[in-house]
Amino acid sequence: MRKYPGYIFILFVCSLLVVSCSVKKNTRATRTYHALTTRYNVYFNGAESFKEQLKTMEDNYEDDYTRERIYMHPVSAYASPSDNDPGGNFDRAIEKSQKAIQLHSIKKKPVRNSNQMSNPKYREFISRDEYNPFIHNAWLLMGKSQYFNGDFLGASATFVYIARHFTWKPDLVAESRLWLARCYLDMGWLYEAEEVLQKINNDGLPDSQQERFATVNADYLIRKGEYRQAIPFLQTAIKAESNKRQKIRMTYLLAQLYTLTGENNAAYAAYEQVIKMGPAYRTELNARIRQTEVFAGGDREKVMKNLTRMTRQAKNEPYLDQIYYAIGNLYLAEKDTTQAIANYILAAEKSSRQGKDKAISQLTLGRIYFDRREYVKAQPCYAEALPLLGEDYPGYSDIAKRSAVLDELAVHAGNVELQDSLQHLASLPEPERMKVIQKIIDDLIAEEKRIEEEEKRRAYLESQQGVEMLQSNAKLPTVPSMNMGNGSNAWYFYNQAMVSAGKVEFQRKWGKRKLEDDWRRRNKASFSMSDFVDNNIDYDDSGPGDERDLADASGAGTADVQNPLSSDPKDPQFYVQQLPLTPEDIAVSNEIISDGLFNMGLILKNKLEDMSAAIASFNELERRFPDSEYLLEMYYNMYLIYMRMGNETMANVYKNRLIGRYPGSDYALAMANPDYLENLKNMGVMQEVLYNRAYEAYLANDTRTVHECYKEVARKYPLSDLMPKFMFLDALSYIGEKNIDAFQSGLKELLERYPDADVSPVASGMLKGLAQGRTIATDGGAPKGMIWTMSLGGENALSDEDSVAPFILDKDVPHSLVLVYETDAMLSNRLLFDVAKYNFSNFLIKDFDLEIISFNEISMLVVKGFNNFDELMHYRSMLEGENGVTLPDGVRPVMISDTNFKLLFEGRSFEDYFNFMEENQ
């Protein structure tokens, strides 16, 4: 019987524990029990997992040191899909936090003690939403785990909950708000983050949160671009940081901020501090490289010696591009651009990763060449660097713009350089000339040998790798062999000799051409005046006459019968035949040079706004070719340049030269007007007003007003960029007056003066139609329906009654709704916005594609995504319904199958399609 009291005691203790385990009771015992269980059971496991994963993230993340600013913490990489995964998985910590809250949260109110209600602390206690004194830690752990897991939105919701439901813990509320601000920052919500930080300051920041506030506020100021203000907060955050890898990261960021604020000495010292902290080798290497960017003097030889020694160490082979880039920076700091260029070139050659590091060295090299006005060398640097950069790279849009302009500029600069070189070589005595040519051939042979040796070495390494793969039972990939028949197995574009020969042969025949449509044409105009008088027109771009003319222009026709043309780059005759040795060839070469200099000046002025470089190009043109055909336009552009620069004295010099030498030109007549400058300022607005007036008059068959508007703009604004459109409207108005001769002569004048205008292909097609015997209907006034007869895929032609459009009537194939209108008749973006808004509001599941297409005078908004005609018909009925879209006047809806729509681009017109539908209804 003695054992029964022991059993009774054990039973009592178990009953007490069972009662305490319930979260439906709120007593001192239950609160204590659940607090202890939360802290040392579920929460403990979650907190340990959190610490482990956070250390993994902070220690193992590979920072992108090519960025202008690295991230303050790796977690920020979640905001950019293109960045490295920050690593770390906080799911277990989230799971444990949620479990702790589910099992141990006490929401039940305690039994109220009416005797204590006069005590403010008791009243505050009784009004709480949570009574487990430790559960707030689980909430905070869950929010931080969500944040470091990249769920910034979910984490922000958790921190908002904590701030609202644990108001009796001011330190916790302040900490939650700081974490909330971090969430907003990583989501890019700077305004919301600023509001949170201001509220924290207004409510009073607890001492326990000062260091955390410094970290968050530094991040906020950095993202705003206020680097100087961010530096002291970042310094405070660095002192408080306990993780060594994170401290190194933040110190590296501090050095970058010093660089951005121009404090190069401080930046150099901060990078030195990074190196002394014993970072990973990759971090140390990048810190040493960035030191060279902010090097402001001192023991350059010592730094140079260290970097040079690093190039010989095997462990640095993957980083040779960065090391040579750093050496180039040191030379550049000493203004030794020759050595700097040599090392930047080495950096590009040694790059094995083809990433941003190579792009940065190429950009630096390209900038040097650009500043030296060596555009031919600058162009490939920018062209190679641009694809390696992300669109988030600082100044990416400016780099992309300069690269695109250089593509065009380098063509003209290359032509000038090439012709200068050829003329210089042609001027040498024959023995000296042949010596130079032989040197070129010897270099070519040496390069072929180098490439062949490189191929043998690569083949040997690949064979060794193949043996190793076979020994490890790995399956070898099958690679086709491509023998070019010249003793080399290299693909054509890897065989430098063949590429060189091909380029020279192409340029011998066609000259150096920009990559664009119709590159075979010497004159890019889409017409020839002979087309308008000969009914047997040959529309082939590359007729025999073109080839003969181009061959003559390149000097190929001057080859002597005893010296036939050679295509072998190892044959001296191959080079001799390209030299301008006769007066005719020299004249052609000079024409190419003058053309290049003039176009370089225009591009530099209009597209790069590099006025000093443009002036230099135009001056060179005038110095070398004082009788150039480009002198008139050159004088005018020099006048505009100096006016823009505020140098009226020099502007008047070129104005007087222009008027004195070309008194009857449009430029001279316009500039002779005392109100010319005022007219020039107002031209942008007034030409639009006049054009709208002329267009409305044209639609109203008021041909007299159209002619008056054209005469007024020709008198006041003869250099208006809308002049081709005025001329086109003026010519079309003669159709309503039944004056076909005036219509035809007006179009011819338009094509002669503005061969590259957007309306020129339309005018060209009309004249060709007349030359082919087509007639114009002169009844009913001006041809306002002209756009419906336009061919979208080729040259515009007047309607041909005998033509038959091979459209297909099939309602079960995909269809599109095409909203067609005249290009200048309305705002395309407004129509696009209205239709897109309607689609978004009415079709939540169905997604329609919208595309604006323009062809000179005709434009269209294409709504795609209909599986058949019935779907399209239903959509159109809704679009035109009471709650649909009111289409502007002049917009014509066209329902057409995708198959038939493609036929429009193959030479058909909307009028052809309308006729087809009428016949098949």
Side-chain angles (χ1 to χ4, degrees):
M1 296 296 294
R2 293 178 182 176
K3 59 183 178 181
Y4 287 116
Y7 287 136
I8 293 171
F9 176 75
I10 294 172
L11 183 62
F12 173 76
V13 172
C14 291
S15 300
L16 182 63
L17 289 174
V18 168
V19 172
S20 300
C21 286
S22 174
V23 295
K24 297 187 181 298
K25 291 182 178 277
N26 188 346
T27 64
R28 184 185 298 273
T30 57
R31 292 195 295 270
T32 302
Y33 169 80
H34 283 288
L36 289 171
T37 306
T38 303
R39 181 170 188 170
Y40 294 110
N41 188 3
V42 188
Y43 173 81
F44 176 81
N45 293 328
E48 289 300 308
S49 175
F50 174 84
K51 293 176 186 176
E52 178 183 338
Q53 294 301 318
L54 182 59
K55 189 174 188 306
T56 298
M57 174 185 284
E58 293 177 342
D59 288 351
N60 298 340
Y61 179 72
E62 293 284 344
D63 292 281
D64 181 3
Y65 293 113
T66 63
R67 294 174 59 92
E68 187 178 48
R69 296 179 287 103
I70 63 171
Y71 293 126
M72 179 177 286
H73 194 281
V75 70
S76 299
Y78 276 120
S80 176
S82 62
D83 284 325
N84 298 332
D85 190 324
N89 188 326
F90 296 83
D91 291 345
R92 178 173 172 79
I94 294 172
E95 177 188 345
K96 293 298 181 181
S97 303
Q98 291 174 336
K99 185 176 180 181
I101 294 168
Q102 291 170 357
L103 294 179
H104 301 294
S105 175
I106 300 176
K107 300 288 187 181
K108 176 71 176 177
K109 297 285 185 182
V111 177
R112 181 174 297 185
N113 185 345
S114 57
N115 295 330
Q116 295 289 330
M117 291 304 295
S118 60
N119 187 339
K121 289 187 177 179
Y122 182 78
R123 288 201 306 272
E124 180 274 321
F125 171 77
I126 212 74
S127 64
R128 292 180 185 176
D129 297 326
E130 176 60 59
Y131 290 93
N132 183 332
F134 191 82
I135 203 69
H136 65 276
N137 293 287
W139 277 102
L140 190 61
L141 177 63
M142 183 170 72
K144 292 193 294 184
S145 300
Q146 290 171 322
Y147 171 76
F148 286 112
N149 231 18
D151 182 11
F152 302 129
L153 196 60
S156 64
T158 301
F159 292 126
V160 168
Y161 178 89
I162 295 172
R164 289 179 179 175
H165 293 274
F166 293 90
T167 54
W168 65 91
K169 289 184 171 292
D171 286 23
L172 175 66
V173 171
E175 183 178 356
S176 298
R177 286 175 176 168
L178 288 171
W179 281 105
L180 176 63
R182 288 189 70 172
C183 293
Y184 287 157
L185 289 173
D186 282 305
M187 287 190 291
W189 299 1
L190 296 187
Y191 178 77
E192 288 77 5
E194 182 182 16
E195 280 192 322
V196 172
L197 293 173
Q198 285 180 348
K199 184 172 179 58
I200 293 173
N201 280 322
N202 294 337
D203 293 348
L205 183 66
D207 292 339
S208 64
Q209 302 303 316
Q210 293 288 345
E211 293 172 347
R212 182 171 283 107
F213 174 81
T215 303
V216 179
N217 198 42
D219 195 14
Y220 163 71
L221 292 170
I222 290 170
R223 291 173 188 266
K224 279 190 68 178
E226 297 177 2
Y227 304 129
R228 198 175 299 278
Q229 294 89 328
I231 287 174
F233 290 100
L234 182 56
Q235 290 171 327
T236 301
I238 291 171
K239 292 177 183 177
E241 182 57 51
S242 59
N243 180 278
K244 177 183 175 181
R245 184 69 182 86
Q246 184 62 18
K247 185 185 286 284
I248 292 171
R249 178 177 289 113
M250 295 166 74
T251 306
Y252 193 101
L253 175 60
L254 177 64
Q256 290 181 310
L257 296 189
Y258 280 130
T259 303
L260 291 169
T261 56
E263 300 177 62
N264 288 346
N265 289 331
Y268 191 94
Y271 283 125
E272 189 66 29
Q273 188 178 353
V274 169
I275 296 169
K276 291 179 179 179
M277 293 168 74
Y281 182 70
R282 179 171 170 270
T283 304
E284 178 186 347
L285 176 64
N286 277 276
R288 292 189 184 278
I289 290 169
R290 299 308 161 205
Q291 278 186 314
T292 65
E293 294 180 340
V294 294
F295 186 77
D299 194 353
R300 184 177 71 91
E301 292 302 324
K302 180 181 177 181
V303 179
M304 185 78 72
K305 190 177 295 184
N306 289 336
L307 290 172
T308 305
R309 184 173 62 250
M310 291 171 66
T311 63
R312 297 191 292 267
Q313 297 173 348
K315 65 179 181 179
N316 289 324
E317 187 171 354
Y319 308 109
L320 284 176
D321 53 346
Q322 292 177 264
I323 297 172
Y324 282 115
Y325 167 73
I327 295 174
N329 290 338
L330 290 176
Y331 279 118
L332 193 61
E334 295 294 321
K335 310 298 183 184
D336 188 348
T337 54
T338 301
Q339 287 297 327
I341 288 173
N343 281 278
Y344 291 139
I345 292 174
L346 269 176
E349 291 176 353
K350 298 295 183 181
S351 178
S352 58
R353 292 165 294 168
Q354 300 295 315
K356 284 186 180 178
D357 292 317
K358 180 177 181 179
I360 291 172
S361 63
Q362 287 288 73
L363 276 180
T364 308
L365 181 60
R367 290 190 189 105
I368 294 175
Y369 284 139
F370 186 86
D371 292 340
R372 294 169 59 162
R373 298 173 185 171
E374 298 180 29
Y375 305 116
V376 176
K377 293 180 180 178
Q379 185 271 335
C381 295
Y382 277 89
E384 189 171 356
L386 190 64
L388 303 177
L389 300 173
E391 293 188 8
D392 58 344
Y393 186 82
Y396 177 85
S397 58
D398 293 333
I399 294 169
K401 176 185 176 182
R402 178 174 287 189
S403 179
V405 175
L406 276 173
D407 289 343
E408 182 179 357
L409 184 61
V411 173
H412 300 292
N415 284 339
V416 173
E417 290 184 14
L418 175 62
Q419 296 303 320
D420 280 341
S421 299
L422 293 176
Q423 288 190 22
H424 172 71
L425 190 57
S427 67
L428 296 176
E430 186 170 358
E432 192 172 345
R433 180 195 310 154
M434 298 308 297
K435 185 178 179 179
V436 173
I437 291 175
Q438 189 58 48
K439 176 68 167 55
I440 296 173
I441 295 172
D442 292 342
D443 290 345
L444 178 61
I445 294 173
E447 179 67 9
E448 285 183 351
K449 287 182 179 179
R450 187 192 67 78
I451 293 173
E452 186 176 354
E453 290 297 323
E454 181 66 23
E455 289 174 0
K456 288 180 180 178
R457 188 180 73 85
R458 184 166 53 246
Y460 173 77
L461 293 176
E462 290 175 354
S463 66
Q464 290 298 106
Q465 184 182 8
V467 171
E468 292 174 3
M469 292 177 70
L470 285 173
Q471 289 174 348
S472 61
N473 296 322
K475 186 176 180 181
L476 287 171
T478 302
V479 180
S481 175
M482 298 184 65
N483 193 310
M484 302 306 298
N486 61 345
S488 171
N489 288 328
W491 185 42
Y492 175 88
F493 291 104
Y494 292 147
N495 188 315
Q496 295 299 318
M498 296 191 70
V499 171
S500 178
K503 287 173 66 176
V504 172
E505 172 62 17
F506 177 88
Q507 292 179 16
R508 181 192 67 76
K509 183 175 181 180
W510 299 105
K512 194 165 184 179
R513 299 301 177 94
K514 181 184 174 185
L515 183 61
E516 60 183 352
D517 293 340
D518 296 329
W519 58 265
R520 287 173 292 182
R521 298 181 186 269
R522 292 182 67 193
N523 182 353
K524 295 298 187 299
S526 59
F527 71 94
S528 169
M529 284 301 173
S530 61
D531 292 342
F532 308 144
V533 296
D534 185 1
N535 288 342
N536 299 317
I537 302 172
D538 180 7
Y539 293 100
D540 188 0
D541 287 346
S542 56
D546 291 336
E547 293 189 16
R548 183 177 61 254
D549 291 344
L550 289 167
D552 291 343
S554 64
T558 65
D560 194 67
V561 177
Q562 288 78 14
N563 295 310
L565 296 178
S566 172
S567 59
D568 182 4
K570 298 174 187 176
D571 179 4
Q573 180 59 28
F574 175 77
Y575 301 95
V576 173
Q577 67 197 18
Q578 300 177 59
L579 300 178
L581 298 172
T582 68
E584 293 79 7
D585 291 342
I586 294 174
V588 171
S589 178
N590 285 335
E591 183 181 343
I592 295 173
I593 294 173
S594 63
D595 177 82
L597 289 171
F598 176 72
N599 281 289
M600 285 172 63
L602 285 184
I603 294 168
L604 290 165
K605 165 183 168 282
N606 297 330
K607 298 186 178 181
L608 290 178
E609 298 186 355
D610 187 345
M611 300 307 169
S612 61
I615 289 172
S617 184
F618 285 141
N619 283 336
E620 181 70 5
L621 171 64
E622 185 177 22
R623 182 186 68 81
R624 296 181 60 176
F625 308 103
D627 296 321
S628 171
E629 62 178 315
Y630 297 107
L631 237 53
L632 169 62
E633 291 188 61
M634 186 273 285
Y635 286 153
Y636 180 69
N637 278 281
M638 289 287 274
Y639 169 78
L640 293 179
I641 288 173
Y642 281 116
M643 286 301 297
R644 188 183 300 184
M645 295 171 66
N647 190 340
E648 292 190 23
T649 302
M650 287 302 299
N652 286 328
V653 168
Y654 283 95
K655 173 183 177 180
N656 293 332
R657 287 187 190 179
L658 189 152
I659 295 175
R661 188 161 182 175
Y662 305 97
S665 65
D666 288 342
Y667 295 105
L669 295 175
M671 296 170 74
N673 187 336
D675 299 325
Y676 174 68
L677 284 179
E678 190 65 26
N679 288 342
L680 194 62
K681 293 178 183 178
N682 299 330
M683 184 174 70
V685 175
M686 292 305 300
Q687 67 179 358
E688 291 286 349
V689 172
L690 284 172
Y691 183 73
N692 291 335
R693 179 183 168 196
Y695 190 78
E696 291 173 2
Y698 171 76
L699 295 178
N701 292 324
D702 184 0
T703 59
R704 179 180 177 180
T705 301
V706 174
H707 298 320
E708 289 176 352
C709 289
Y710 168 58
K711 291 177 182 178
E712 184 175 356
V713 77
R715 178 173 54 84
K716 286 187 176 181
Y717 314 109
L719 306 179
S720 167
D721 53 1
L722 292 182
M723 185 60 70
K725 293 181 180 294
F726 277 102
M727 296 182 71
F728 188 60
L729 278 183
D730 185 67
L732 290 179
S733 297
Y734 284 113
I735 296 178
E737 299 173 2
K738 301 182 181 181
N739 189 345
I740 303 304
D741 290 338
F743 163 70
Q744 190 170 3
S745 62
L747 293 185
K748 284 184 180 180
E749 183 183 0
L750 164 63
L751 294 174
E752 289 173 348
R753 290 179 57 185
Y754 304 100
D756 297 323
D758 56 354
V759 295
S760 295
V762 181
S764 175
M766 290 179 175
L767 288 179
K768 286 183 179 180
L770 290 174
Q772 290 174 321
R774 300 184 185 181
T775 58
I776 301 175
T778 57
D779 297 333
K784 291 180 285 296
M786 185 69 73
I787 65 168
W788 304 112
T789 66
M790 293 180 182
S791 168
L792 303 185
E795 295 173 331
N796 179 61
L798 299 179
S799 179
D800 187 351
E801 297 179 357
D802 297 330
S803 63
V804 179
F807 293 104
I808 301 172
L809 188 63
D810 188 349
K811 295 186 177 182
D812 294 326
V813 298
H815 277 62
S816 296
L817 177 64
V818 184
L819 305 176
V820 192
Y821 52 92
E822 295 185 57
T823 299
D824 296 321
M826 56 170 296
L827 295 176
S828 300
N829 289 338
R830 184 69 214 177
L831 178 63
L832 175 65
F833 174 80
D834 290 341
V835 175
K837 181 181 177 182
Y838 173 79
N839 289 347
F840 182 76
S841 302
N842 292 275
F843 301 95
L844 298 179
I845 299 177
K846 185 70 173 177
D847 186 21
F848 298 108
D849 292 330
L850 302 178
E851 180 182 8
I852 290 181
I853 303 175
S854 296
F855 289 89
N856 300 316
E857 296 296 298
I858 187 171
S859 295
M860 61 196 85
L861 173 61
V862 185
V863 187
K864 305 176 183 177
F866 305 98
N867 295 320
N868 50 54
F869 178 80
D870 293 336
E871 280 190 15
L872 174 56
M873 193 66 189
H874 175 67
Y875 173 86
R876 181 176 176 181
S877 63
M878 292 179 61
L879 186 72
E880 297 177 348
E882 183 177 352
N883 297 320
V885 176
T886 302
L887 298 177
D889 295 336
V891 176
R892 178 167 180 175
V894 179
M895 297 188 295
I896 187 170
S897 70
D898 291 355
T899 303
N900 288 337
F901 189 49
K902 290 178 181 177
L903 292 176
L904 294 177
F905 296 92
E906 296 177 2
R908 313 296 178 231
S909 68
F910 277 106
E911 186 178 61
D912 296 333
Y913 178 69
F914 298 152
N915 293 335
F916 169 78
M917 293 302 295
E918 289 178 2
E919 294 171 1
N920 291 274
Q921 284 181 347

